[in-house]
Amino acid sequence: MYHWISVPVLLPAIMGAAIVLLMRNDLLLQRVFSLAAALGLLAVSIALLVAASNEGPEIYMLGDWPAPFGIVLVLDRLSAMMVTLTAVLAVAVLLYTIGSGWDTRGRHFHALFQFQLMGICGAFLTGDAFNLFVFFEVLLIASYGLMIHSGGKDRLRAGVQYVAFNLVGSSLFLFALAAIYSITGTLNIADLAVKAAELPQGDAALFRVAAVMLMMVFAIKGALVPLQFWLPGTYSNAPGPVAALFAVMTKIGAYAVIRFGVIVLPPGHPVTGTLISDLMLPAALLTLIIGALGILGATTLSRLAAFAAVASMGTAFIAISAFTPASTAAALYYMVHSTLAGAALFLIADLVTYRRAHDGLHQALPPIAQAGLISALFMTSAIATAGMPPLSGFIGKLLVLDALRDQAALVWSVILVTSLITIVGFARAGSSLFWKAHASAPEGDGATHPAQALSFVAVGTLLAGLVALTVFAGPVIAWIEVTAASLFDPAAYIAANQLPEVK
């Protein structure tokens, strides 16, 4: 699989450039080639997932320069899982975009979408901290273009806020990388794992500061309190399919925390000790609380979906903060679930908005076309997001509770109470959107809106993924547990980066 490791980065990069240069005036060609590229990415990612499961970590050396001197992409079970999740989401979002016509409301949607996929896949596959920064910047540029797609004052203002927060994160990232390189002489993740454990006492304090700065950058990307302010405004004002794709972007922050917090700075590290865990747990608990209260007080469905994304990151970071194989496995399962559920919720919010011109929750509104089907989709996504049985959200929260049973008094109380608040918030939103609309308001133009079957197929695909996570929870959890265990035994990962020859 050696050369195939580069395909998730190269395929969308080449396709994005081809769309800009050769197809910018032909929307049909853009749709065909963009969807074909996403399907190709999905096929390749599945093949890489199988290879990583059977063969262990493998690297791709760009320019044939070995690590730690050259740039490497590293395929292991975790990176393969996240790339596959991204590919599944990309196909669903593109189907929705084509079905709803969102790509007709501005220029260069498909090119920006492909560059966004390049940045996301590159961030998951890179084995080098500096190139993680590079892919973050690719993400920032492409996501800003997607964020303001089709224009509007509110969207532009939210986009500027989004860029400002992320530029702060980029600056911190550069400072942290400069400090780490000055101490260790490397930015390769596997090489950092070796050298960080052998630091002389005099360098420990500076390395500790750099490590905290690095985790702050990942906290910004993952919308962790007190650095979550950019997310609700950004996601609620973004176009529906763009916000759905953004559901995986916050997971990059969580992924980076897992990658660095387990391999480079594992629990009990002589330099950082339990500092990262001690800082992360209270922040994660507050993130979950703020997300749940935001769901309860949301004035629009899109804003409710945005706060649901905040709450889901709080739950994921609670599990990550324990830094044990069991808690990491729980976090990974919940991250997959929350990505699919969050994306589905944003698309459902767009279905409602498209039929009503807005998705307000505090006034009687006219009924909409396909209200029965949309309400069923909303109820399914609400059950999954809130963590109610029988869907995967319930299983994911059970895994988190079980992994942190030694902190039951605090963690269990917060998770259970916020779950109840979330259920109430979703019930209120569903009542306002669907039941009260039919009971108290006259019909409007939205009652005769065309069905747009492809859009419903896209939402159904994401919800089917949640059902599959539930039905096949046993083998999925078993696979993820092996993945988490391999992270806490990084010998194979480190050895793969030190191979001197191309396979």
Side-chain angles (χ1 to χ4, degrees):
M1 298 300 296
Y2 179 74
H3 291 290
W4 287 100
I5 299 173
S6 64
V7 172
V9 178
L10 293 179
L11 176 60
I14 294 171
M15 187 56 63
I19 289 174
V20 170
L21 296 174
L22 305 176
M23 310 174 206
R24 60 180 177 272
N25 296 319
D26 192 326
L27 181 60
L28 178 60
L29 278 180
Q30 291 182 39
R31 288 176 168 179
V32 169
F33 279 87
S34 185
L35 183 58
L39 291 170
L41 176 62
L42 178 59
V44 170
S45 65
I46 292 173
L48 293 175
L49 184 68
V50 173
S53 301
N54 296 331
E55 300 172 11
E58 185 177 4
I59 68 167
Y60 178 79
M61 296 180 287
L62 298 176
D64 210 22
W65 284 82
F69 308 106
I71 299 170
V72 296
L73 303 177
V74 184
L75 177 71
D76 66 351
R77 295 169 70 98
L78 177 58
S79 60
M81 182 188 81
M82 298 306 295
V83 169
T84 303
L85 177 63
T86 302
V88 170
L89 186 61
V91 171
V93 169
L94 273 179
L95 289 176
Y96 185 91
T97 301
I98 295 168
S100 63
W102 257 110
D103 54 352
T104 65
R105 304 186 194 183
R107 294 176 61 83
H108 308 305
F109 179 91
H110 290 283
L112 289 169
F113 189 89
Q114 293 298 321
F115 289 129
Q116 180 85 340
L117 292 181
M118 170 196 170
I120 294 172
C121 292
F124 288 137
L125 285 169
T126 186
D128 182 272
F130 181 78
N131 286 285
L132 181 61
F133 166 79
V134 171
F135 285 119
F136 274 0
E137 295 311 295
V138 173
L139 280 174
L140 178 61
I141 295 169
S143 60
Y144 178 70
L146 291 172
M147 167 68 203
I148 62 173
H149 180 75
S150 84
K153 183 175 68 175
D154 291 341
R155 189 166 292 152
L156 182 61
R157 182 170 59 249
V160 171
Q161 180 190 46
Y162 166 71
V163 170
F165 266 91
N166 279 274
L167 285 178
V168 171
S170 298
S171 300
L172 284 176
F173 205 168
L174 280 177
F175 292 145
L177 293 179
I180 290 172
Y181 188 80
S182 69
I183 297 167
T184 63
T186 184
L187 291 175
N188 179 272
I189 295 173
D191 202 33
L192 275 175
V194 175
K195 292 185 177 179
E198 302 170 349
L199 285 177
Q201 188 63 32
D203 292 332
L206 181 58
F207 189 84
R208 189 181 303 112
V209 172
V212 171
M213 290 175 61
L214 201 60
M215 290 300 167
M216 287 181 61
V217 173
F218 301 150
I220 292 174
K221 303 297 182 182
L224 188 66
V225 166
L227 305 169
Q228 88 295 347
F229 296 105
W230 63 271
L231 191 148
T234 300
Y235 281 35
S236 61
N237 285 289
V242 173
L245 181 64
F246 283 6
V248 79
M249 280 177 48
T250 49
K251 307 308 183 295
I252 297 175
Y255 165 88
V257 169
I258 292 172
R259 183 68 80 186
F260 280 84
V262 172
I263 294 179
V264 180
L265 303 167
H269 191 280
V271 175
T272 55
T274 61
L275 175 64
I276 294 173
S277 179
D278 293 340
L279 293 174
M280 188 176 298
L281 180 58
L285 291 171
L286 287 174
T287 303
L288 177 55
I289 293 170
I290 289 173
L293 293 176
I295 291 171
L296 186 62
T299 55
T300 65
L301 182 56
S302 57
R303 196 159 180 84
L304 180 146
F307 275 107
V310 173
S312 71
M313 292 311 300
T315 305
F317 276 117
I318 287 171
I320 292 170
S321 67
F323 288 107
T324 65
S327 68
T328 302
L332 293 178
Y333 182 90
Y334 191 83
M335 284 164 58
V336 175
H337 149 79
S338 61
T339 299
L340 299 177
L345 193 57
F346 279 115
L347 295 184
I348 292 167
D350 191 68
L351 287 174
V352 174
T353 305
Y354 203 30
R355 286 157 174 76
R356 237 181 219 152
H358 64 90
D359 56 352
L361 300 176
H362 286 167
Q363 55 184 309
L365 297 168
I368 58 174
Q370 301 93 40
L373 178 56
I374 294 175
S375 63
L377 295 174
F378 173 79
M379 184 181 71
T380 304
S381 64
I383 289 172
T385 303
M388 296 173 62
L391 292 178
S392 52
F394 178 69
I395 298 173
K397 287 193 175 181
L398 279 182
L399 291 172
V400 175
L401 292 173
D402 182 61
L404 280 82
R405 57 184 178 272
D406 58 330
Q407 304 180 59
L410 177 61
V411 174
W412 284 36
S413 299
V414 171
I415 291 178
L416 294 176
V417 171
T418 54
S419 295
L420 177 61
I421 294 173
T422 301
I423 292 169
V424 173
F426 273 105
R428 181 186 64 86
S431 175
S432 298
L433 287 169
F434 303 108
W435 184 76
K436 286 183 180 179
H438 289 279
S440 7
E443 282 199 0
D445 294 338
T448 57
H449 195 279
Q452 295 178 323
L454 204 57
S455 298
F456 287 100
V457 169
V459 178
T461 299
L462 296 173
L463 296 181
L466 296 176
V467 173
L469 271 180
T470 306
V471 174
F472 300 103
V476 170
I477 292 171
W479 188 91
I480 288 177
E481 285 176 343
V482 175
T483 301
S486 68
L487 291 172
F488 283 83
D489 184 17
Y493 182 93
I494 294 171
N497 277 265
Q498 294 173 341
L499 290 176
E501 73 277 355
V502 178
K503 294 182 180 179

